[in-house]
Amino acid sequence: MAGMDAEQIRELLGAVLSVAGERARLNVVPEPEALPDPPAEVSTLRVRVDLHGARPPIWRRLELAGDLHLDAVHRVLQVAMGWTDSHLHAFTTGSDPHDPAGTRFVTAFDLEEGDEGIEETEVRLDQVLMAVGDTLFYEYDFGDGWEHRIVLEGVLGRADDDPRARCVQGRRSCPLEDVGGVHTWNDVVRVLAGTVPVEDLDPEFQDWLPDDLDPADFDLDAVNARLPFAVLGDDGSLEGLTLAQPVVDLLRSLGPDVRPYVEDLVVGAGLDQPQALDPAAAAAMVHQYSWLVQRVGDTGITLTAAGYLPPAVVSETSQALDLDTEWIGRGNRELDTMPVLILRESAQRLGLLRKHHGRLLLTAAGRAARADPVRLRRHLAQRLPIGDEASRIAGVVTMLVLCGGAARAADVSGAVRTVLGSLGWQTSSGPLQANDAWRLAGPTLEVLDRLGIDVRPRFGHLDDEAADLSPDAVAFLRAALRGDDQATGSPRAGSPG
């Protein structure tokens, strides 16, 4: 420009502005088209999902309820493909994923960032896939750019008990997260197949690949075991499983980094069947609580000035329940007789007893269950876990681990610390330690101890062998996690499922 005169500069500036205007016009994102109304009847949509550019092909065939909203479809795709939901995503329509004439569906985060589009939580799958051949694009991780093509292969009839999401077929494993995109992944596959030397792979990845990585692996059963969690209903319902509200609340609170871990605990806990109750076993299990509520009786017990059981009642309780075998001492002061103190305090936390004007009295639940061991056991199962928020989370995790057959201290402590740590819980000095896990799970473990579910004594050493819990103990834990009405083996009123 240094050699141009004024007229030449004006002409150049006009050309630049003209090109800029044309480019701006071409890049204008059109207003999203109004979506059609959903069909009157919900169908099952059979779709094929292909990962664009993968060689050999990576794909899944899914059968999905047409009334799934796109945010649920996102979770389904994460599970079905094998991603970890660690990055942003977007659904789009059009001739390709970046067609400016297509419609973009956005998340709440996108809207907060100022992006435009239709919020995916407001869009049903059967509003964008209506006729065989219709296509929807799904991009995950805008850095690596994993593009998926979802094609409607069939519209099927739907029964009330059909799964809301099911994988019927698939090929090959999901690429590793953050590997750099499909082309890098294809290089990894060729190296692992031995068709090209490892030296051809980016040095950044040569020592990073897992030793057991198998790109050809695909486990259909494992995918279908996890899919129900992807479509967890707004009411907490979970297909194939009945879960108590504390379990549902925990699942809802977890981020994508640890949620699959807890989902695996739920699957491994064996919660797919109602838990039958043997009345004799129930009576033996709740013996300590049953004795205490009967001892309190209709008239109650006058407490000491400090609010404890009087010495005579402490001694009576200790001897009647053989608690003196658990504790060394005279057994006539509650503060010095921890089994009695724990029994009385846990009975209050469980809603069986209450203090009123210096007396220990039965609650309505305590009166109703006083002479009915089956009802008492059901009440106890329905009230677990107990404690503050962190203790309730620790209690749920502990029961899940125990139901899965891993009752070693290291397993329980590790699971509690993993879950609570992911939710931001820590001590003033840093991450939770093993003793913190036992302390937080303590309120629930104390109840299990009183029920004869002998877990805590085994936790003296982290390398203990796994405890072999009795079938009655496991049935109780599963009933608590399912929210079962144990008298009928069905979900209790008001529970999800």
Side-chain angles (χ1 to χ4, degrees):
M1 295 177 61
M4 293 182 180
D5 57 26
E7 183 61 30
Q8 290 173 319
I9 290 175
R10 280 194 294 271
E11 291 179 359
L12 177 61
L13 181 59
V16 170
L17 291 175
S18 175
V19 171
E22 178 65 14
R23 288 179 62 85
R25 184 186 66 78
L26 292 174
N27 287 323
V28 169
V29 177
E31 290 291 327
E33 297 182 4
L35 294 173
D37 291 334
E41 294 186 4
V42 178
S43 299
T44 294
L45 306 184
R46 176 173 289 175
V47 301
R48 172 161 166 150
V49 183
D50 284 89
L51 181 62
H52 178 70
R55 300 290 182 271
I58 300 173
W59 58 272
R60 308 286 185 262
R61 179 167 284 114
L62 307 173
E63 292 181 353
L64 309 176
D67 61 349
L68 285 176
H69 289 81
L70 293 188
D71 59 318
V73 177
H74 153 69
R75 295 191 296 272
V76 167
L77 293 173
Q78 289 288 308
V79 172
M81 295 301 298
W83 300 116
T84 63
D85 202 4
S86 304
H87 301 279
L88 300 176
H89 71 275
F91 289 97
T92 55
T93 62
S95 59
D96 63 68
H98 307 290
D99 184 354
T103 299
R104 178 181 173 86
F105 305 99
V106 297
T107 66
F109 175 82
D110 297 327
L111 293 176
E112 292 174 0
E113 293 295 303
D115 292 348
E116 296 183 355
I118 303 175
E119 191 166 3
E120 64 180 23
T121 57
E122 304 298 322
V123 182
R124 285 172 37 159
L125 185 61
D126 56 12
Q127 289 180 278
V128 290
L129 296 180
M130 303 188 72
V132 171
D134 284 353
T135 301
L136 179 67
F137 295 99
Y138 171 76
E139 183 175 3
Y140 170 63
D141 184 356
F142 301 148
D144 281 5
W146 302 106
E147 296 178 353
H148 306 71
R149 181 185 180 94
I150 307 167
V151 178
L152 180 60
E153 294 185 327
V155 180
L156 313 176
R158 181 166 187 80
D160 291 340
D161 58 351
D162 282 348
R164 293 184 59 73
R166 174 172 56 191
C167 185
V168 296
Q169 203 174 4
R171 290 292 183 273
R172 303 188 68 81
S173 70
C174 184
L176 296 175
E177 297 268 358
D178 303 315
V179 76
V182 70
H183 298 297
T184 304
W185 177 249
N186 289 343
D187 290 341
V188 169
V189 171
R190 286 192 288 268
V191 167
L192 293 176
T195 58
V196 298
V198 68
E199 291 77 15
D200 287 1
L201 191 63
D202 189 321
E204 178 183 355
F205 300 111
Q206 290 181 18
D207 299 325
W208 178 68
L209 297 176
D211 293 335
D212 59 349
L213 182 62
D214 180 5
D217 183 47
F218 173 67
D219 190 334
L220 180 65
D221 292 336
V223 168
N224 281 319
R226 292 275 309 282
L227 278 179
F229 296 98
V231 291
L232 187 66
D234 291 338
D235 60 352
S237 59
L238 187 69
E239 291 173 354
L241 294 175
T242 298
L243 298 180
Q245 196 61 48
V247 185
V248 174
D249 292 342
L250 175 59
L251 288 169
R252 291 190 182 284
S253 69
L254 298 172
D257 56 332
V258 77
R259 179 164 170 159
Y261 171 74
V262 176
E263 290 172 354
D264 288 341
L265 290 181
V266 174
V267 172
L271 307 181
D272 55 329
Q273 296 294 328
Q275 299 301 298
L277 176 64
D278 175 66
M285 179 170 285
V286 302
H287 172 61
Q288 292 189 13
Y289 288 104
S290 181
W291 186 92
L292 181 59
V293 295
Q294 291 187 54
R295 175 61 181 83
V296 171
D298 293 328
T299 59
I301 297 173
T302 301
L303 301 171
T304 67
Y308 296 105
L309 290 173
V313 177
V314 174
S315 296
E316 181 186 359
T317 305
S318 182
Q319 294 172 15
L321 300 178
D322 293 326
L323 300 181
D324 50 353
T325 62
E326 300 180 27
W327 196 257
I328 300 174
R330 296 177 61 184
N332 62 355
R333 295 182 69 247
E334 202 175 6
L335 276 178
D336 296 331
T337 314
M338 294 305 297
V340 175
L341 178 65
I342 289 171
L343 177 63
R344 192 263 302 167
E345 289 187 336
S346 64
Q348 289 178 236
R349 287 194 292 266
L350 290 162
L352 297 171
L353 304 176
R354 64 187 179 93
K355 288 183 178 180
H356 181 69
H357 295 314
R359 295 183 65 77
L360 187 64
L361 304 172
L362 294 177
T363 63
R367 287 193 300 272
R370 179 172 52 178
D372 187 344
V374 172
R375 184 166 187 165
L376 179 55
R377 186 178 186 229
R378 181 167 65 247
H379 173 86
L380 298 178
Q382 292 176 355
R383 293 300 292 263
L384 289 179
I386 57 175
D388 60 18
E389 182 181 1
S391 289
R392 288 173 64 80
I393 294 171
V396 168
V397 174
T398 296
M399 290 191 293
L400 287 171
V401 174
L402 295 178
C403 281
R408 293 191 315 119
D411 298 321
V412 177
S413 172
V416 169
R417 287 183 288 161
T418 295
V419 174
L420 284 174
S422 76
L423 294 171
W425 292 91
Q426 60 179 8
T427 67
S428 57
S429 57
L432 298 174
Q433 302 301 312
N435 287 340
D436 299 312
W438 309 139
R439 174 178 55 82
L440 291 170
T444 295
L445 289 172
E446 288 171 351
V447 175
L448 298 183
D449 282 351
R450 297 303 100 207
L451 295 173
I453 301 177
D454 197 12
V455 177
R456 284 169 65 92
R458 302 177 189 276
F459 290 162
H461 304 283
L462 293 181
D463 58 352
D464 282 348
E465 292 293 325
D468 185 16
L469 299 183
S470 71
D472 290 328
V474 174
F476 175 83
L477 293 169
R478 286 175 175 164
L481 292 167
R482 284 175 50 90
D484 276 349
D485 177 341
Q486 297 182 53
T488 63
S490 60
R492 70 174 182 257
S495 72

